[in-house]
Amino acid sequence: MINSNGLSKKEVEESRKKYGTNELLQKKQKSFFHQFIETLGDPIIKILLIALAIKTVFLFRDFDWFETLGIVIAIFLSSLISTISEYGSEKAFEKLQEEASKIKCKVKRSGKLEEITMDEIVVGDIVKLETGDRVPADGIIIEGELSVDESSLNGEAREAYKEKVTGEVTDKNLVYRGTVVYSKTAFMKVEKVGNATYYGKLALELQESNPDSPLKLRLRNLAKTLSKIGYIGAGLVSLSYLFSQVVIESHFSLPLIINTVTNAPLMMGYILYALTLAVTIIVVAVPEGLPMMITLVLSSNMKRMLKNNVLVRKLVGIETAGSINLLFTDKTGTLTKGKLDVIGFISGSLKKYNTEVELSIYPKFHHLLKLSLVYNNESNLVEGKAIGGNITDRAILNFVHSAIPNARIIKQTPFSSKMKYAATVIETDKKIQLFKGAPEVLIGHCVSYLNENGTKETLVPDKVLAKVNDMTKRGIRVLAVAYNDRYDYKVMDKLTLLGFVLIKDEVREEAIEGVKMVQEAGIQTVMITGDNKNTALAIGKEVGIVTSEHDLVITSSELGNYSDEEVKKMLPNLKIVARSLPQDKSRLVRISEEMGLVVGMTGDGVNDAPALKKADVGFAMGSGTEVAKEASEIVILDDNFLSISKAILFGRTIFKSIRKFIIFQLTVNMCAIFLSIVGPFIGVETPVTIIQMLWINMIMDTLAGIAFAYEPPLKEYMREKPKKREENIINRYMMDEILFTGSYSSLLCVFFLKSSFIQQFFRVDPSDKYLMTAFFGLFIFMGIFNCFNARTNRLNLVANLYRNRAFWIIISLIVVVQLFLIYFGGSLFRSYGLTLRELVVMICLAITVIPVDWVRKIYLKRTKQVTGV
């Protein structure tokens, strides 16, 4: 027995204790400090932390404060920037959720109607629902009836009709949290609150952790590779140093070797220095500027993407977008406008008219049609805009653009899901009964149709229904419009058909272009929709998802009959899943990720949230539900599918920028390692001093990272195949350039230091201070010129460089600072100035890295090998 007075204050407290509140419980958000600590788990940063620990524990006596400070700054800044970006995004979404929970609703308690916040609702409450209200919890209609928008739950744009429960409870009597009332008024008894609601259960699914991003996996593999190189290099340097000090310095004399080995203080000094060399090699081998560069490139592009209506919630989501090779997309609100529009009218003679005004040349027919469309309608025109009623009535009223005839409404029978039609009796110069509803219902009661000239003709039902079926197969919803001009209004018989209103959730024009761009990028696009198979197929063909007879279009029930292994076999040809359920989306995402695919998922409804969360990158629509936005990595603010293709382009650009920086930095690092190993054997103990290395490794590499972070997105990137999830971050092209240019740079450095031919161009000094000043400049300028080599696979090194002003500014700044250090660095930087002749010779040698790399690029192009990052 339902208490029509609602719950008393005591009953509210009892219900709250028994069933809980209507608040959606969420996992505790990580603190800023906790998120900062988590960022230290970056694979590259881990290696730097290990090196830092070794230096601190074992080498405290000879502690190198400058290099150590450099490592600490690199770790701190990259972690801080990343944490600030993501923490800020999470706080913004917490605020959105807080605002959503403050939505007011009307509830009957102790016989009075009062307004409370959504979170205060309890099981057993009687809630009044009116047009425009958001349903606060799951419940049963106990009085009245409603037209409800459930698109956020099931993805369908059409309204759902809900009525008072009279016996066994069915879906027609149930309303769900998060849905919106289109029209009418009803009272609902709350059955479930908070996380027990359908909406809440979906929110609980979002607590699952995200899969590791492709970038994280690639960086992990890169860290393993670099750490192996670093450890091997460190071991070789340590052994070679110890061999040199113990064996070579003892002139291979066994007694002298034994004396050296047994001299504990001496050996401890050798071992500590060998350990110092080992740590130095590890630090040099690891591109410590990479974590900061990745954070900078993601952060800077996040701001650029916002200008293109793409809001990035999680930084790594940008790069992941560029790695997508399979994109599951929702239909309603994503590929389509998400609202119904009348796209035309078909008369009883089966002629199609795109606008109501086109019928104005047939006065009698036009007048009668307008009466039917305007008065057999629960919406009203206010200042030329339809308000009230359900979405279908508003769409029909917006179709009428000419003057509305006057009439008096005598009786109205609202649309009922049982009857499947609406009827209205009006009076103008005579009484007329107007009908609007499902064609299969009304056509059976029609005996004639009114032609455009206003004459009744015999109706052939089969011919008319064939036309209706043809429209339905094209994804168009059809409503029949008929009338009865007899006076017996109790009998629905011998009606005259006026025609059919064609209603459709129209495809976004930009969606067609967006789908084309995504598919040209080699990304398979699969539409998942709650619509029937025919409607889904029609939309799929219209937007360009279905283009071949081999493309698979299946329903949810068909999908459920296949095992995971069978789905994996058919997935490459799958294009549409119709009549889908929320679990279908999550299952397809899981299966695709098991196949090693990088999966993207678009959506806007609550039903899309679990799949958005499970996908590698989720794209939520800006007009979508807050749950969908929270589950996603990226929010498309303008609901434009074309913006998704822009996000993919930015993602690919970012990955290329990261690869370009890696080429640049590992080339510099390779040269530095080579000099560290070879230097002692060629009589140059410190080719590059610690202070100079600090400038090279920290300032120059960080600045170069900023320069590469602003590389422009080129449309040509969208013609490349997507990268595989397991693809290494260093490809064959990169390895070739690093080894080739790195080897040349290393040999050039040795040649510069030991060649008498080179030395004759520089002033003679017992300490070779001018030669070493020039060598410092040579090392830096080789890196500067190699920046141009690394950023493009073209021979034209300045191609598209005008679109990256940051590059010019940063490179100019490095040049200015380096020239300043050469002339004013003094003993701190071991720089004592150069004459103009010496400076020119040094720069001419440094610039040779460009023509040498041209040779490599020309060879690759002629042999048609991999020609880019």
Side-chain angles (χ1 to χ4, degrees):
M1 183 75 180
I2 296 170
N3 183 2
S4 60
N5 289 322
L7 301 178
S8 65
K9 189 173 182 180
K10 182 181 178 182
E11 288 172 328
V12 168
E13 291 302 321
E14 289 174 352
S15 177
R16 186 172 287 124
K17 287 179 182 178
K18 185 176 181 180
Y19 300 105
T21 69
N22 197 35
E23 186 179 354
L24 291 179
L25 300 178
Q26 298 176 3
K27 63 179 181 181
K28 188 178 178 182
Q29 294 293 329
K30 295 171 185 173
S31 66
F32 182 88
F33 180 74
H34 190 212
Q35 287 192 29
F36 178 79
I37 296 299
E38 278 194 351
T39 61
L40 298 179
D42 181 279
I44 302 293
I45 289 179
K46 280 182 179 178
I47 300 176
L48 292 173
L49 287 172
I50 292 169
L52 188 63
I54 293 172
K55 289 177 73 67
T56 305
V57 175
F58 295 104
L59 307 175
F60 189 79
R61 188 182 64 181
D62 301 313
F63 208 53
D64 175 8
W65 290 105
F66 289 106
E67 187 176 289
T68 303
L69 183 63
I71 296 174
V72 171
I73 291 171
I75 293 172
F76 179 77
L77 286 180
S78 64
S79 299
L80 184 66
I81 294 169
S82 178
T83 306
I84 288 172
S85 298
E86 295 206 5
Y87 185 77
S89 296
E90 291 303 323
K91 282 297 176 187
F93 274 83
E94 279 182 35
K95 187 176 180 181
L96 284 173
Q97 286 183 325
E98 187 181 337
E99 289 173 357
S101 68
K102 291 179 180 176
I103 293 174
K104 300 283 186 178
C105 51
K106 292 175 279 292
V107 60
K108 188 181 281 189
R109 288 181 177 173
S110 302
K112 296 179 181 178
L113 201 63
E114 54 184 89
E115 199 171 55
I116 61 175
T117 64
M118 185 185 288
D119 283 354
E120 294 177 88
I121 294 289
V122 297
V123 171
D125 264 331
I126 307 297
V127 180
K128 185 179 183 182
L129 298 173
E130 298 176 303
T131 301
D133 285 349
R134 186 177 294 274
V135 179
D138 291 358
I140 302 171
I141 300 297
I142 58 172
E143 185 182 323
E145 57 181 11
L146 295 172
S147 169
V148 182
D149 173 15
E150 291 186 340
S151 62
S152 65
L153 295 180
N154 57 29
E156 295 186 25
R158 67 183 62 183
E159 64 275 10
Y161 295 96
K162 305 292 180 175
E163 57 190 33
K164 174 183 176 181
V165 62
T166 53
E168 185 179 347
V169 177
T170 66
D171 190 60
K172 292 179 181 178
N173 315 124
L174 296 171
V175 285
Y176 302 95
R177 177 176 179 146
T179 58
V180 178
V181 179
Y182 267 138
S183 62
K184 301 183 182 177
T185 301
F187 283 91
M188 169 192 87
K189 179 178 180 288
V190 176
E191 293 289 311
K192 294 178 181 178
V193 294
N195 290 101
T197 62
Y198 177 67
Y199 187 101
K201 288 176 182 176
L202 287 175
L204 278 178
E205 280 194 53
L206 305 185
Q207 309 298 316
E208 296 179 14
S209 58
N210 279 28
D212 283 344
S213 70
L215 180 60
K216 191 170 183 179
L217 294 173
R218 290 164 182 159
L219 286 176
R220 190 177 295 149
N221 291 333
L222 176 64
K224 288 178 182 177
T225 303
L226 293 178
S227 61
K228 286 177 183 177
I229 294 171
Y231 298 148
I232 292 170
L236 289 174
V237 168
S238 298
L239 289 174
S240 64
Y241 172 75
L242 289 173
F243 182 80
S244 171
Q245 295 301 313
V246 175
V247 179
I248 297 177
E249 289 296 322
S250 299
H251 305 289
F252 297 92
S253 170
L254 186 59
L256 290 176
I257 293 172
I258 293 172
N259 286 335
T260 303
V261 173
T262 55
N263 187 338
L266 183 63
M267 278 304 296
M268 183 58 68
Y270 288 159
I271 290 170
L272 283 175
Y273 191 77
L275 197 55
T276 303
L277 287 175
V279 173
T280 300
I281 292 300
I282 291 172
V283 172
V284 170
V286 175
E288 66 268 33
L290 184 58
M292 180 182 286
M293 184 271 169
I294 290 172
T295 304
L296 285 172
V297 73
L298 293 176
S299 300
S300 61
N301 279 278
M302 182 172 71
K303 294 175 183 176
R304 292 161 72 186
M305 291 171 74
L306 191 57
K307 294 178 181 178
N308 286 278
N309 296 305
V310 178
L311 171 64
V312 179
R313 288 194 58 233
K314 297 178 182 176
L315 288 182
V316 77
I318 315 175
E319 188 281 327
T320 308
S323 301
I324 289 172
N325 39 39
L326 177 59
L327 178 63
F328 292 111
T329 177
D330 188 32
K331 184 211 73 161
T332 305
T334 307
L335 295 172
T336 63
K337 294 178 180 177
K339 66 184 187 72
L340 298 180
D341 290 304
V342 175
I343 61 170
F345 178 83
I346 294 179
S347 67
S349 54
L350 304 185
K351 292 179 182 177
K352 185 173 181 296
Y353 300 90
N354 294 320
T355 66
E356 164 263 335
V357 178
E358 289 178 35
L359 289 160
S360 59
I361 58 174
Y362 309 111
K364 182 179 178 181
F365 182 88
H366 186 222
H367 177 77
L368 200 53
L369 176 64
K370 281 200 292 184
L371 286 173
S372 184
L373 296 182
V374 173
Y375 289 101
N376 190 17
N377 194 311
E378 291 187 54
S379 297
N380 296 293
L381 275 177
V382 177
E383 296 180 357
K385 193 173 183 179
I387 61 169
N390 58 45
I391 189 172
T392 303
D393 280 346
R394 290 199 296 273
I396 290 172
L397 202 54
N398 283 326
F399 183 65
V400 179
H401 291 287
S402 58
I404 297 172
N406 292 320
R408 183 171 66 89
I409 296 175
I410 297 174
K411 180 183 178 182
Q412 268 190 314
T413 305
F415 184 91
S416 162
S417 55
K418 285 182 179 178
M419 300 186 301
K420 293 190 176 180
Y421 70 86
T424 300
V425 178
I426 63 169
E427 184 175 27
T428 52
D429 54 340
K430 62 178 181 178
K431 293 180 180 178
I432 305 171
Q433 191 172 19
L434 308 170
F435 293 89
K436 171 189 70 185
E440 63 271 20
V441 173
L442 291 185
I443 288 174
H445 294 280
C446 292
V447 293
S448 61
Y449 71 90
L450 190 72
N451 65 25
E452 284 83 345
N453 295 319
T455 306
K456 292 183 180 181
E457 295 189 25
T458 303
L459 182 73
V460 182
D462 291 344
K463 187 177 179 181
V464 172
L465 285 172
K467 185 68 174 179
V468 169
N469 290 335
D470 180 54
M471 290 292 107
T472 303
K473 286 179 181 178
R474 297 185 195 178
I476 299 171
R477 184 182 174 197
V478 181
L479 282 181
V481 180
Y483 74 100
N484 186 346
D485 53 5
R486 296 183 301 109
Y487 289 97
D488 185 2
Y489 302 114
K490 294 181 181 180
V491 180
M492 181 182 162
D493 201 11
K494 296 182 180 179
L495 305 182
T496 300
L497 180 71
L498 280 172
F500 305 97
V501 177
L502 306 179
I503 303 173
K504 187 179 180 183
D505 180 11
E506 285 201 276
V507 168
R508 294 174 177 272
E509 292 180 12
E510 61 273 16
I512 298 172
E513 183 185 351
V515 168
K516 184 180 179 183
M517 282 185 67
V518 168
Q519 291 185 330
E520 285 178 349
I523 300 169
Q524 180 185 349
T525 307
V526 179
M527 183 175 77
I528 304 179
T529 175
D531 285 331
N532 64 55
K533 200 169 184 177
N534 287 334
T535 301
L537 180 59
I539 298 294
K541 287 181 176 178
E542 189 174 350
V543 297
I545 289 176
V546 177
T547 56
S548 165
E549 59 183 15
H550 301 295
D551 293 339
L552 282 179
V553 179
I554 62 173
T555 63
S556 174
S557 58
E558 291 170 339
L559 178 66
N561 292 330
Y562 294 117
S563 67
D564 285 0
E565 291 304 315
E566 288 173 323
V567 173
K568 287 178 182 178
K569 290 178 182 177
M570 68 166 62
L571 191 60
N573 294 318
L574 184 64
K575 295 295 181 180
I576 294 176
V577 178
R579 291 295 186 200
S580 72
L581 300 171
Q583 54 265 37
D584 293 332
K585 300 174 182 181
S586 296
R587 183 190 178 203
L588 285 169
V589 169
R590 175 180 57 78
I591 290 172
S592 302
E593 289 178 341
E594 287 175 2
M595 294 173 68
L597 299 172
V598 181
V599 183
M601 172 75 192
T602 76
D604 59 353
V606 175
N607 62 318
D608 299 321
L612 285 169
K613 179 74 174 179
K614 289 180 180 178
D616 291 294
V617 57
F619 298 94
M621 298 299 115
S623 62
T625 61
E626 297 310 315
V627 170
K629 292 176 188 176
E630 186 182 356
S632 67
E633 281 76 26
I634 294 174
V635 180
I636 306 300
L637 297 176
D638 60 353
D639 293 2
N640 191 337
F641 192 88
L642 189 60
S643 296
I644 295 174
S645 64
K646 291 179 182 177
I648 293 171
L649 173 58
F650 271 101
R652 292 189 172 189
T653 303
I654 287 166
F655 187 56
K656 285 181 176 291
S657 296
I658 292 170
R659 280 183 154 180
K660 291 171 185 179
F661 178 73
I662 289 173
I663 290 174
F664 164 74
Q665 192 168 49
L666 290 188
T667 303
V668 173
N669 289 5
M670 178 183 170
C671 187
I673 291 173
F674 180 83
L675 290 174
S676 298
I677 295 173
V678 174
F681 296 97
I682 62 173
V684 184
E685 292 292 335
T686 52
V688 179
T689 67
I690 296 297
I691 298 297
Q692 289 173 348
M693 189 61 75
L694 177 63
W695 162 242
I696 294 167
N697 274 6
M698 294 309 306
I699 303 173
M700 183 179 174
D701 292 352
T702 302
L703 290 173
I706 298 172
F708 283 113
Y710 289 90
E711 280 292 280
L714 305 178
K715 285 189 177 180
E716 64 191 55
Y717 298 159
M718 291 296 280
R719 294 192 288 271
E720 298 176 6
K721 291 182 179 179
K723 305 290 187 290
K724 295 180 180 178
R725 180 188 290 272
E726 66 277 8
E727 181 172 329
N728 290 326
I729 202 164
I730 298 180
N731 64 8
R732 176 68 181 276
Y733 175 88
M734 296 170 67
M735 186 62 73
D736 287 346
E737 183 168 354
I738 292 166
L739 292 176
F740 186 82
T741 310
S743 298
Y744 173 75
S745 300
S746 301
L747 293 174
L748 180 60
C749 287
V750 173
F751 176 71
F752 185 92
L753 290 170
K754 302 306 293 182
S755 170
S756 57
F757 173 76
I758 294 296
Q759 292 174 5
Q760 68 178 327
F761 293 103
F762 297 92
R763 285 167 285 171
V764 178
D765 183 84
S767 62
D768 290 329
K769 66 179 185 181
Y770 299 113
L771 181 69
M772 298 313 293
T773 299
F775 178 75
F776 178 40
L778 174 74
F779 198 93
I780 296 297
F781 278 98
M782 278 196 309
I784 291 171
F785 293 126
N786 197 42
C787 274
F788 291 88
N789 287 334
R791 67 165 297 276
T792 181
N793 62 328
R794 294 179 169 91
L795 295 178
N796 177 12
L797 301 184
V798 294
N800 300 299
L801 197 51
Y802 67 93
R803 295 171 63 185
N804 186 355
R805 287 182 294 176
F807 189 93
W808 286 113
I809 294 169
I810 295 298
I811 295 301
S812 300
L813 178 63
I814 293 173
V815 169
V816 170
V817 173
Q818 182 58 33
L819 289 174
F820 177 84
L821 292 178
I822 286 173
Y823 288 97
F824 303 101
S827 58
L828 182 64
F829 279 89
R830 198 176 66 183
S831 299
Y832 302 96
L834 297 173
T835 64
L836 181 60
R837 178 170 177 260
E838 291 169 337
L839 181 66
V840 170
V841 170
M842 179 269 291
I843 291 177
C844 286
L845 285 171
I847 206 171
T848 58
V849 295
I850 289 178
V852 167
D853 195 59
W854 276 342
V855 173
R856 183 190 63 84
K857 289 175 178 175
I858 291 169
Y859 172 77
L860 289 176
K861 288 182 183 294
R862 287 186 176 178
T863 55
K864 296 182 179 178
Q865 295 183 42
V866 179
T867 56
V869 294

